[in-house]
Amino acid sequence: MDLTGGSTLARTPHAPSSDVSSSGIAPSRAVPAGAVPSGIAPSGAVPSAVPAVPAGRSAAGVRGGGGGGRGAARPVVTELRLSAFAGHRGAVHALGPVTLFAGPSGSGKSTTLRVYEALARLGAGDSLDEVFPDAADCVPERARPDAQGRRGFRIGCTVDGPVGPVHLDLAVQAEPRLRIVGERLTGRGRTLLATALRDPGRSTVQAEWHTAGATPVTRAPLPDDLLGTALLPLRVAGKTPGQLEVLAAAEQVVIGLRSAFPCDPRPEGMRTAVLPGEGRLRRDCANLAEVLHRTHTACPRRHHRLATVAGAGCAGPVTGIGVQELPEGFVRAVLERGGRPATPLGRLGDGELRYLALALTLLTGPGVLAMDRIAEVPDAMQSLTLLADGLDRGLDRRQVRELLGLAVSIAADGHIRVVGAVGEGGEREARRVPGVTVVDLGE
């Protein structure tokens, strides 16, 4: 497939092209308007458009893309695709309610979670250079540049929801200039949005989306540094059944992607007293005491459950979690020990602090987390996904087991999902917990 663009809106995928030069991608040539570029460039080459997902393919065994009926109640990411990204080639990972990536060091666990977070940020409207400041490192190492010195990577995902599985795939040029050169949104066997690079000298791509009215396809330029799917609700009028179909698919993908919270508790920042604020837990959980100060009165039932979870994963008896007010307005959290003196959280071990922070994240919701809330969508229609790289870091076997058991029980109602990465010890415990899906990247 060439890099010059052309019309890419099509309902079915096409066979791979055999016209491939020694540089690893097809030689550039003009594609007349209305033609459909064929095939998929070899891994690492940057196609002008991404391949459509075959009709009927199911993201995670939920239901086929071309079938009827209802999808998931809330938009959720059910599949992650690393077609050509860093050390991954043709990787397709189904995601369940609780999914953990395992494997030896260097197998790509952190990279896989990075792709999920990158897609989430693009869905929230972040620009390409903000999401991939080191884009050259994302290109597969053996990818050879084409005649114009261009290399890139390809990623994608599937978001299931009320309209069924919707597939999003991106082709990103990393060199010589970072830009999205191809994007495809498909659902129920139909390509709903496709973009292609028509003029390398412009900072735009040519976009086409399904209309199904007097004009079957609408064409317009879109920025090459933003996710086109996230821009569709601002560009599509929603006056025809086709436009409504495109809007429903795009909004489902955006909601599913944006409902993610990367969490990486840092014990060194959780030991000090803090000033009370809005009480939204940050990624590093350094303001844990501030959040507990808020939930102590605002969410007493969740706070009580957190105390029960703390007793299962912290040393010594735990009868509750309290908050002490200190001079000058500072607060600190403590473990209550019944008749014994309370223990400030600053005295706990690293594993205990990480365990408490992750448990608190599972027991709260978007309103208590420092994330981009989708205010226009009711919380009951959203499913939060916790992204936790090194989920078991510093935790002992008992803590891993208790934390995963909590994750499975909470994920059962569909409001919270977990995608994480674990080491060898965490993998062994995870395989013993019913309801946890372990993906071994070392196989």
Side-chain angles (χ1 to χ4, degrees):
M1 183 183 295
D2 64 65
L3 289 164
T4 58
S7 175
T8 58
L9 196 59
R11 295 190 180 187
T12 55
H14 292 253
S17 170
S18 60
D19 185 11
V20 179
S21 69
S22 60
S23 66
I25 59 175
S28 294
R29 60 187 182 278
V31 179
V36 180
S38 62
I40 306 172
S43 295
V46 186
S48 61
V50 289
V53 178
R57 176 175 180 176
S58 174
V62 179
R63 52 188 285 271
R70 299 177 60 188
R74 305 175 186 89
V76 293
V77 179
T78 54
E79 185 178 81
L80 197 62
R81 294 184 290 278
L82 287 74
S83 303
F85 187 87
H88 299 264
R89 302 267 181 112
V92 180
H93 303 301
L95 304 178
V98 180
T99 304
L100 299 178
F101 291 95
S105 177
S107 60
K109 303 184 295 292
S110 297
T111 301
T112 302
L113 264 66
R114 180 190 178 188
V115 168
Y116 192 128
E117 183 180 355
L119 289 169
R121 293 183 60 187
L122 290 172
D126 286 359
S127 64
L128 202 61
D129 58 348
E130 292 175 315
V131 177
F132 295 108
D134 54 349
D137 294 337
C138 302
V139 180
E141 186 175 354
R142 297 182 181 179
R144 293 176 295 173
D146 67 358
Q148 287 74 42
R150 294 171 291 188
R151 299 196 311 155
F153 54 88
R154 302 199 309 275
I155 56 178
C157 67
T158 298
V159 179
D160 202 356
V163 302
V166 180
H167 314 280
L168 170 68
D169 290 278
L170 294 178
V172 178
Q173 174 187 296
E175 299 171 347
R177 185 170 76 83
L178 183 62
R179 65 199 314 179
I180 296 175
V181 294
E183 177 177 349
R184 191 183 294 271
L185 186 72
T186 58
R188 297 184 180 180
R190 187 195 306 275
T191 300
L192 304 174
L193 166 72
T195 71
L197 182 64
R198 294 288 295 272
D199 184 351
R202 295 175 178 262
S203 298
T204 60
V205 291
Q206 181 68 22
E208 301 176 348
W209 57 82
H210 182 61
T211 305
T215 303
V217 173
T218 300
R219 297 181 176 89
L222 291 179
D224 65 359
D225 63 340
L226 297 174
L227 186 69
T229 297
L231 298 175
L232 284 180
L234 304 175
R235 302 295 298 269
V236 180
K239 294 181 178 180
T240 70
Q243 289 177 338
L244 291 174
E245 183 181 1
V246 170
L247 281 175
E251 290 171 355
Q252 176 171 295
V253 169
V254 170
I255 292 172
L257 286 176
R258 284 178 57 182
S259 303
F261 178 68
C263 184
D264 185 16
R266 299 289 180 174
E268 61 272 17
M270 300 161 59
R271 301 184 183 279
T272 58
V274 297
L275 288 170
E278 62 177 346
R280 299 184 68 194
L281 190 66
R282 297 196 297 265
R283 178 176 185 151
D284 61 1
C285 302
N287 63 332
L288 180 66
E290 174 193 353
V291 177
L292 290 174
H293 181 263
R294 171 186 173 183
T295 60
H296 185 263
T297 55
C299 310
R301 293 181 60 183
R302 292 180 179 178
H303 197 86
H304 176 74
R305 189 173 183 185
L306 177 63
T308 302
V309 172
C314 295
V318 178
T319 58
I321 296 182
V323 178
Q324 295 178 344
E325 297 185 358
L326 303 177
E328 300 182 1
F330 285 84
V331 296
R332 70 177 180 183
V334 298
L335 291 184
E336 298 171 350
R337 305 288 195 178
R340 298 168 52 182
T343 303
L345 261 59
R347 292 180 177 270
L348 300 183
D350 286 359
E352 291 176 305
L353 286 173
R354 282 184 51 82
Y355 170 82
L356 284 175
L358 290 167
L360 176 61
T361 305
L362 289 169
L363 289 169
T364 57
V368 187
L369 303 176
M371 59 182 295
D372 182 22
R373 293 191 65 190
I374 311 176
E376 61 273 19
V377 179
D379 288 344
M381 298 302 297
Q382 301 181 50
S383 181
L384 172 70
T385 297
L386 170 65
L387 302 180
D389 192 11
L391 182 143
D392 62 332
R393 187 168 65 248
L395 275 59
D396 61 28
R397 296 172 56 186
R398 175 189 58 161
Q399 291 167 333
V400 172
R401 185 168 58 251
E402 293 290 340
L403 191 63
L404 293 179
L406 175 66
V408 170
S409 67
I410 292 178
D413 67 4
H415 283 287
I416 290 184
R417 295 164 68 89
V418 177
V419 179
V422 293
E424 185 177 351
E427 177 187 359
R428 288 196 298 267
E429 289 303 316
R431 293 189 183 279
R432 297 188 177 102
V433 180
V436 177
T437 300
V438 178
V439 179
D440 189 350
L441 298 180
E443 293 181 347

